[in-house]
Amino acid sequence: MVGLNNSGKSTIVSLLKSDGDRNSEIVPTIGLNIEHFRYQQVLFTMFDMSGQGKNRYLWERYYKNCDGIIFVIDSSDRLRLAVAKEELNLLLQHPDISGRKVPILFLANKMDVREALSSVKIANAFGLEKIKDKPWHIFATSALTGEGLQNGIEWFTEQLSQSDLNN
Amino acid sequence: MSSADRPKEENPWIDAYSDPKADLQTFSTCLTLSDLNADDDHKLVIGDIGNGIQSKLKVFKGTSLTAELPLLTQPTAVKCVHTDRNEPRVAGIIVATGANVLVYRNCRPYFKFSVPPQECSGLEVEIWNEISTSEQLVKVLKDLSMEMGFSNLSSPSQNLLLMSPSHREEYISSKLHCVAKKQMVITCVTTLNKYASSERDVSVVLLATESSQLFIMDPETFTIINEFQLPDVCCNMYATGIYLVEYTLILAMRSGALYSLRIKHLKFITQLMTHTVSLLMVSHKIITANMDSTMSCYNLKGRKYWTINLPDNPLYMTGIPLPNLALHLTAVCFSRANINLYNDSSLVYVIATQEPIHSMVFGKYGQEEHALITIASSGTLDIKLLKRTAQFSNDYKTVQKNYVKPHEIKFLVPKKSKLFLEQSLRERQKCKEMHSWFNHSWTNMKVQVSESYIDALHSANVVQNEALRIIVEVFGLGPRMKIRTVLQNMSQNIMPMNYKVTFIYDAKLYKIHQPVVKVPLMVHGIPYSLETLVTCQTAVAGVVQVVVVSTKVILSATVNMPDSAGILE
């Protein structure tokens, strides 16, 4: 799971993990957090990466062994859409990713914020239609309420099990 | 991404946002970035001059304007400081305007601080107290202003003298009981951390005024905690360090002098050749952008490290600290267009812009660490974010100039000809003989030169004209005079023949009876005296040139003739 800092990655992870022991206070991740959880008989091992500029170089170390990528976008931060796009381009051009058919789930988070952009607008801004060699999907979510997250993770699980079957 | 498929000159900046309709008019001193609401989301604070009609204080969050406050007067500087150490750490906005410092917190007016006015001379107070009629008052004040200088008068006196006569009566009656004091005008403002170097710490505010003073204001109590009398009006300053620990303040005076202030010691650094536009300090080095399109670097003792020529007149300079790249760049914006980034004295990148950038600020904006915010001449707000992968190298090539490094210049060397090849072959084969021959002829030439030098010393043959001595004398006061030319041959070897003495003169002034005098053969050492008569024609003193000629002019002498005016009459 990657995305810029303050986009809501850790909040989404804590939401996915379980409803019971959800952390009330999410602090900015340093380095990365590794989380294990089960969703619909699929065991996830999730690397929740730090999104801070100085820690983003860590992302590419984990590209090699990952089966799927969740890219979280803060849809209310219009200023840094360009930065997120830059990071996505770096990710797609990375040799460990570019040749593989890795499913990418885009989560346009913070849809509850008033000035948030719609998922369609973000897909256009990012030029997602140009990604032809990988399955991808974008969902508008709200990590505070969990809205939209269910659909997103269902699609992601489906994609992962499909690619697992093909192998 | 491998390095091969990367474009060579990759743009290290992401153009995140550009708003051509922002219509902002401001100076770099009225532009600042700060975490105003203590939510880790840095805001942009702009003191907008607004076409000079309505000044406004504007606060931008992300890409949108969140607050707008009207300002009554035009701002000199806008800064953000923490005014206390309470949690949450809400920063205050400080607006310097005229003699006042306005403090805003949570985008609401919070405090108004005025720089204490200067007491004026007792004489002026007396004048104001004793004289009540406007005509008399103006007259006496005018005399006083001639005596002390207009700028040393108090503000009411200055206003009165500048006023149209019809308004004066009313002004005097309204101002009759107020004390004559001179209002300060703040020229520049900077901030300095008070306790610790953290950006969330309380900062003291340094205010320089038009009357050559420097005040240090503590925003915790809104009082002046220190003040200094400067030798001149400070128009630019830069502060580093911590006020209560150790600090360095660099002051650029209006006269072009640079001073440093370190723990209460004011010290002269250097006198610049031109005025500074902008001032920075990067790791104990002072960098100045100057009006003569140069950028110079000095140390604190005034030694100059370097000066580079800038492509254009600089408008402003700001530091771009990049600790993750171990760099501290300097960004300079120019009066025509473009922003150049320098690492020390070498150019590392040029940000091409369509129009001149009037103001810029670099720092944390929103969630982003490295944001460069620029406002162009047309009021366009432009936000650039530094890429995570950005690299700056000192061998940046300016594409526009086609700059070629000296060692890369290729000379037009002609192809080796057949003759050249033969010669070089011969040189290799017979190098010994050639060398001995060369040495032989070299010594030969040296001998010849020395011989002829000794010859020249012995026979010290004087040149012809130097061998003649000439003495010219004029006898008489006019109108008739006699010119005697005495010639003497100094050379033993030469016997000058066929020499003549003639005169160059104005025929209107003089008549020379024997214009050409033949010189007999001259024997060595004997003086020959040749005489001719002259008659003055008019009562003007003139000049006669005596020339000795053979086939060419050999010698000449100029004689100032005596004034014969009195005698002619």
Side-chain angles (χ1 to χ4, degrees), chain A:
Chain A
M1 176 177 287
V2 294
L4 300 187
N5 52 325
N6 199 33
S7 58
K9 297 175 294 300
S10 301
T11 316
I12 289 174
V13 169
S14 75
L15 207 68
L16 286 173
K17 237 171 88 182
S18 66
D19 296 318
D21 57 315
R22 195 194 298 176
N23 291 334
S24 55
E25 189 87 2
I26 307 281
V27 293
T29 310
I30 293 165
L32 72 158
N33 291 330
I34 302 171
E35 303 285 357
H36 302 275
F37 64 91
R38 189 175 287 278
Y39 185 86
Q40 289 179 353
Q41 310 307 312
V42 180
L43 185 70
F44 282 88
T45 303
M46 194 168 275
F47 295 89
D48 175 19
M49 307 299 299
S50 168
Q52 287 169 17
K54 57 186 178 218
N55 289 332
R56 281 182 221 151
Y57 73 97
L58 288 172
W59 295 3
E60 59 188 38
R61 311 279 173 89
Y62 298 88
Y63 288 167
K64 206 164 196 167
N65 299 321
C66 73
D67 299 315
I69 291 167
I70 303 176
F71 198 98
V72 186
I73 302 148
D74 179 354
S75 51
S76 68
D77 192 355
R78 292 172 191 228
L79 184 68
R80 294 207 301 161
L81 275 187
V83 182
K85 191 184 170 189
E86 172 74 20
E87 290 296 343
L88 177 66
N89 285 338
L90 285 177
L91 185 149
L92 292 174
Q93 282 158 354
H94 195 272
D96 289 345
I97 298 284
S98 59
R100 289 164 61 202
K101 201 184 168 189
V102 188
I104 305 178
L105 170 65
F106 293 96
L107 298 178
N109 200 17
K110 303 199 186 179
M111 60 176 272
D112 47 315
V113 180
R114 197 156 50 89
E115 59 258 39
L117 289 165
S118 72
S119 58
V120 181
K121 273 187 183 162
I122 288 177
N124 279 337
F126 275 42
L128 292 185
E129 68 279 356
K130 284 177 197 149
I131 307 173
K132 299 248 163 66
D133 57 341
K134 294 176 187 61
W136 60 269
H137 211 297
I138 185 162
F139 293 93
T141 60
S142 166
L144 290 179
T145 58
E147 205 180 333
L149 202 57
Q150 198 75 20
N151 298 333
I153 211 75
E154 250 167 45
W155 175 85
F156 196 54
T157 316
E158 205 174 288
Q159 289 296 325
L160 285 179
S161 40
Q162 264 181 26
S163 60
D164 221 29
L165 284 179
N166 292 344
N167 291 346

Side-chain angles (χ1 to χ4, degrees), chain B residues 507-536:
Chain B
K508 284 176 198 160
L509 300 184
Y510 301 105
K511 186 190 166 206
I512 291 178
H513 294 245
Q514 199 182 346
V516 180
V517 188
K518 278 190 181 170
V519 182
L521 188 128
M522 287 193 286
V523 184
H524 165 70
I526 298 165
Y528 292 78
S529 146
L530 309 155
E531 291 172 352
T532 180
L533 283 171
V534 183
T535 313
C536 293

